[in-house]
Amino acid sequence: MSKIKNLAKAVVFLILLAVLIHAIDSIFTNTDFRIYQTMTAFYDEPDDKLDGVYIGSSTTYAFWQPNTAWDHYGITVIPLSIPDMPAASLKYMIKEGRKTQPDALYIINLNSFRSAVPDTNHFHFMTDFMKFSLNKIDMVNDLGKRSDIEWYDRLEFLFPVIRFHSNWSNLYKDAVTPEPDLLKGGVHYSTYLSYVKDVTGMYNYSEETSEIDAEKADILEGLLSYCEEDDVNVLFILAPQADLNDESHAELNAIAKVTEERGFPTLNLVNKIDEIGLDTTLDFYNGKHTNIHGSLKFTKYLCEYLTENYDFEDKRGREEYSDWDEASEKYRGMIDEYVLDFELTDPVRDYTLGAPWITTTVLGNDIALGWTASYGADGYLLYRKSKPVEGGDSTAWELVDSFGYETLEYRDEGLKSGTKYTYTVVPVKTVDEVVNYGKFNHVGITAEIKAEG
Amino acid sequence: MEELRNLLNEKYPGIDFDTEKELVDNGVLDSVEIVSLISDIEDTFDITVTMEYIQPKYFQSVESMWEMIEELQ
Amino acid sequence: MSYVSFEFLAFCVAILFVYYIFSAFGKYGRKAQKYVLLVASLAFYTWSKLYPGLKDGFTSDIVSGIFKSLSGILITAIVSFLAGVLIGGVWKREAKKLEACDDKEKQKTIKKKSKRLARLWLVLALLVAVGLLAVCKYNEFAVENINVILDKLGKGQLEAPDILLPMGISFYTFMAISYVLDIFWKRYDYEKNVFAYVSYITYFPHVVQGPIDRYNKFSAQMKDGVKFSYKNITFGAQLALWGFFEKLVVADRIGIFVNNIYGNIEEYKGIIIVLATVLYSVQIYADFAGCIDIVRGISEMFGITLEKNFNHPYFAKTMPEFWRRWHMSLMEWFKDYIYYPVSTSKLVRSVKKHTKKNRLKRFGELFATCFPALIVWMVTGIWHGAAWNFVAWGMFHACLIILGNIFERPLAALTKKLKINVESFSWKLWQMTRTFVLCCIGRVFFKAGTVKEAFFIFRQMFAKVELYRLLPAYLFTYGLNVYAFTVMLVSIFILWAVDMVEEKYPLRETLSRQNLVFRWLLIYACLAAILIFGVFGPEFNASAFIYEQF
């Protein structure tokens, strides 16, 4: 009898121990809130409610805007993406997604094949926000084996407390767990929203293919076999990153070819920058990612493709999707100081109209603006936003006035002291009663009215 | 054995050798004292205590010490 | 593999599992348990070569590497085993012959002859064991010093041959020596089963850092195997858990601070060095005692209790008492195998004889106690490290012991005269503090790399006071911020508190009589403390055991 009692005691002790370790784990874990938001957006979604799950690295969340897709097309596609997600993780993320969204379309960014396996930090990004499960253990083992990490060194990826417990002295600072931002995975970090980098020099157009590295070929085969065996509805995409050198580009082209020849729908978009309407001078924040302006264009392009090729219903207006309406509204409120009103309305763009150069002169409480003419334009739109010098939120971009093609200057009067004003000018051309919007300075030119005294 | 008892009581008046039966294990006699005691026992009983007998079991009590002395004589 | 690693924990769980499966097969299964331990210990000893072999396959390189790493310990083990057989055989034959013979003169010759033969085997075995230890561990030290002399003579320098240092050689050699001497001194019967004996020498809990176990006590526990016992598992695990706390939470955290100061010793003067030295003394205790608790706890889970090594040493009131509480198995070894033999050796006996009846009597008595002590401490010093600063450390303690002996009577008289109450708490506190301070002084020699550096550190300590370094603005910049420093102090306090309780009550027994909820809460709290505050994981560099280099 006492033997059974002892056995029972031991079992209960070990169970409580597991609970304790789990509790400590959840306190001492990675506090990268951005990843927390994107993963939470996916995990919090009710079962069987998504049209698609978009899997990939930061190429996914920087290119795809779930809220805009909802706003214009009523489709529900959430990114399941983590910075630098390597190729080896793709299969496991599909499995993770299919636990709750088995019938969704799985859109996979083949850009993940730029790296086969992650380094230690990015390994943690992968695992720290993934729920504990057999799938997670499988993934850690697979990635660990490919990276030559011993089994006992892999434990830190299943129990992040091993790496993060030394943060206990900082705990009081990070003690607050973040609230989910309920933005369906739509990102809003500052570089994405406000940076512009000219990546024209980096970008190359190439249809070359090359040999695929053995490790990556092995990973690719595993991925495709899994999709075939489990009958996963898959769409492969190669997102138009600008910084691919010749070797990477050729290898990725080869990989896209393999998936296509295997019978999977594949969109190789690296060479299609013009078709998508991306401008390498204005639409990227670095060689790897579009900024919000570029991502709006990419999202529209992909939505057109999806609605054309897949049976996604337009679910706008339905009661049970009101959370998507709320998310979209909230997101629009967050980006209105970065994005002009027409960018969100599915406009016609004419990129032959170049962005005007703007100059400002501060005269007391007025700012005198001047801009260069844009060849081919028949009018200009002047937008303005302002922000107090002492700190505080910026206003949204708002249209000040529209002008005919001869007007190349404007005096903005009666402005507030101690405020910074930012302006941008959009050249327009009306064709068949439809306004075509040209290129414009996404960041704008800023002038400051100094505070009094 | 009386001679042994007298020697011990004279040398260590603070220890009650009638009740203490674990002199070594309880740390009542330390190594320095044991060496000194060995020297006295050798002189008094005209024996040579070899290493075989310098073990805890022979020094735990008066009785065990006497056993050792008898074996060596 | 390190004792403080997930690998080792997984290893122990696996071996425990196999070990107790054997115990399910009755008497023969239990007798076979020692072979499980033997295989496990050999695997543990060669793990760094064995594991890659198991993973990627056994190349000839790996196999030869495994044999090379086992050669040292197996030679010592087998030679000492054979010595046991041969010497034991000599005594057995002697006993038979003595029984068959009544003539006292003949008996004397038989005894003399046997002793000579037995001594031959003893000397050969000791030559091999000590020789291997000397060559493997001290060749560089010897060559260094020879080179100094050669340099002075204007001759060329020698180069030290590159010899592999077998793991735990200082410890297992002493265990082998203790066995051979015990057989020579007819303390118990020799072991006939070579596997049983080798599993004692290679036993993985004690092969790296001790304790230095005696064969009779060890084999009595291992011989007939062990039945599964819930108490063994729980008590053993609790002890090991406490060991992990001592090592990972207390010792390694102090180490961050100590290494910061001692690692940049030229930049610091005064009181901060004193603080670092005091903390180092605590660290070395928590580190060593922690590791010993881990291995003793694990060994208890196998049903084998190893020698106790620590008994709250800093509660000692005198230096001799300290050495009865610190590294006890080593000090016992020195007592039984050096102190007593030297004390009863011909040299000491003849000095005592020739000074007994004259004015040199006091000298004779002192010689009889101090000379063996001197020998013991010289060997103790050099055993701890192949460098002069360790010898200096040994000599420092030898002086303390010898001076203590010389001045014992005058000091006792003085204490009486001054009417000091030796039973009062304040006096005991003074004694403990004095003992601890003397220890700390010795520790400086231990920690410094050379004698020169040790004296440099003392000079730095007294050059200035630099009291400002204790202010918060400075104190928390030496590797431990204010939170880490607080945790360190709290963990030291917990260590002290537990030791205080243990001084009076057997902790685990007392714990087992408390409520289950209280017990479990305590254990979970300890586990959580180790998990959260332990110095391990990728954020910290792996910390080596201080005593592992021996």
Side-chain angles (χ1 to χ4, degrees), chain A residues 334-346:
Chain A
M334 292 179 86
I335 61 173
D336 61 12
E337 74 177 83
Y338 301 100
V339 165
L340 302 184
D341 49 18
F342 67 84
E343 287 185 87
L344 294 172
T345 61
D346 203 5

Side-chain angles (χ1 to χ4, degrees), chain C residues 257 261 268-276 465 469-470 475 478:
Chain C
F257 181 85
I261 304 289
Y268 299 111
K269 290 189 169 65
I271 198 152
I272 199 72
I273 303 185
V274 174
L275 179 63
V465 179
R469 288 198 195 272
L470 294 182
L475 187 61
Y478 303 124

Side-chain angles (χ1 to χ4, degrees), chain A residues 5-29:
Chain A
K5 202 172 89 173
N6 284 336
L7 183 64
K9 271 205 279 186
V11 169
V12 174
F13 180 82
L14 290 173
I15 291 177
L16 288 178
L17 182 62
V19 170
L20 176 70
I21 293 181
H22 181 79
I24 297 179
D25 235 354
S26 49
I27 302 176
F28 292 95
T29 191

Side-chain angles (χ1 to χ4, degrees), chain C residues 246-313:
Chain C
E246 287 176 286
K247 165 80 179 144
L248 291 177
V249 181
V250 186
D252 287 348
R253 175 156 284 107
I254 300 178
I256 299 174
F257 181 85
V258 169
N259 289 338
N260 210 297
I261 304 289
Y262 267 81
N264 302 305
I265 197 73
E266 324 78 42
E267 291 168 28
Y268 299 111
K269 290 189 169 65
I271 198 152
I272 199 72
I273 303 185
V274 174
L275 179 63
T277 311
V278 167
L279 286 174
Y280 177 66
S281 303
V282 180
Q283 176 197 353
I284 198 173
Y285 165 58
D287 190 295
F288 198 9
C291 178
I292 292 292
D293 282 343
I294 293 173
V295 298
R296 288 186 74 236
I298 302 243
S299 185
E300 241 184 82
M301 291 171 86
F302 285 96
I304 297 177
T305 307
L306 301 178
E307 298 282 350
K308 208 160 173 221
N309 236 7
F310 289 94
N311 189 16
H312 324 125

Side-chain angles (χ1 to χ4, degrees), chain A residues 38-304:
Chain A
T38 51
M39 292 301 278
T40 308
F42 173 77
Y43 279 124
D44 282 354
E45 195 64 23
D47 289 9
D48 278 313
K49 221 173 161 198
L50 292 179
D51 291 321
V53 179
Y54 198 151
I55 294 180
S57 61
S58 50
T59 29
T60 299
Y61 60 66
F63 278 78
W64 172 257
Q65 256 314 319
N67 294 296
T68 319
W70 170 258
D71 269 342
H72 295 284
Y73 298 88
I75 60 177
T76 53
V77 177
I78 285 191
L80 181 55
S81 60
I82 289 175
D84 275 300
M85 182 186 296
S89 306
L90 294 173
K91 179 172 78 174
Y92 300 98
M93 295 311 272
I94 299 178
K95 285 192 189 177
E96 191 75 6
R98 295 193 83 208
K99 288 182 195 172
T100 51
Q101 312 286 343
D103 297 321
L105 169 70
Y106 281 85
I107 310 175
I108 315 285
N109 255 351
L110 289 174
N111 305 68
S112 281
F113 273 90
R114 289 178 75 163
S115 56
V117 287
D119 62 22
T120 310
N121 278 329
H122 291 108
F123 204 146
H124 266 289
F125 283 167
M126 281 300 316
T127 53
D128 291 348
F129 299 93
M130 211 172 147
K131 291 188 180 170
F132 199 88
S133 66
L134 286 175
N135 186 31
K136 184 173 180 181
I137 297 178
D138 277 341
M139 185 178 84
V140 169
N141 273 331
D142 190 357
L143 262 56
K145 266 194 217 126
R146 291 183 190 274
S147 308
D148 253 325
I149 301 176
E150 292 295 338
W151 70 266
Y152 43 84
D153 285 329
R154 291 177 211 163
L155 290 173
E156 67 170 284
F157 302 111
L158 293 169
F159 302 102
V161 63
I162 294 173
R163 172 166 280 265
F164 294 109
H165 73 277
S166 54
N167 281 341
W168 58 263
S169 58
N170 292 327
L171 193 61
Y172 72 98
K173 278 191 229 147
D174 295 329
V176 181
T177 40
E179 290 282 303
D181 64 10
L182 302 175
L183 290 174
K184 301 293 179 193
V187 292
H188 47 92
Y189 52 101
S190 62
T191 41
Y192 171 74
L193 290 176
S194 62
Y195 267 41
V196 171
K197 182 174 172 143
D198 185 345
V199 297
T200 319
M202 292 186 220
Y203 176 73
N204 70 0
Y205 177 103
S206 164
E207 292 181 25
E208 299 279 312
T209 59
S210 71
E211 282 276 312
I212 305 174
D213 165 78
E215 176 91 49
K216 292 180 187 175
D218 181 54
I219 295 172
L220 181 61
E221 180 54 44
L223 175 63
L224 297 178
S225 314
Y226 165 70
C227 294
E228 283 165 350
E229 279 158 20
D230 266 34
D231 208 12
V232 185
N233 197 2
V234 177
L235 166 64
F236 287 109
I237 293 191
L238 205 50
Q241 292 182 301
D243 71 333
L244 298 172
N245 63 21
D246 290 331
E247 295 93 56
S248 311
H249 198 165
E251 195 179 38
L252 289 174
N253 281 343
I255 291 175
K257 200 146 174 249
V258 169
T259 61
E260 200 168 354
E261 284 169 359
R262 274 291 261 277
F264 294 97
T266 306
L267 281 183
N268 185 340
L269 299 177
V270 187
N271 295 329
K272 302 222 170 133
I273 281 200
D274 289 332
E275 203 177 304
I276 300 172
L278 289 172
D279 182 340
T280 51
T281 62
L282 293 172
D283 287 331
F284 287 81
Y285 77 76
N286 67 17
K288 289 192 165 68
H289 310 102
T290 48
N291 54 31
I292 181 141
H293 308 276
S295 107
L296 291 174
K297 296 175 185 169
F298 176 86
T299 306
K300 175 186 170 188
Y301 181 86
L302 188 54
C303 283
E304 290 284 317

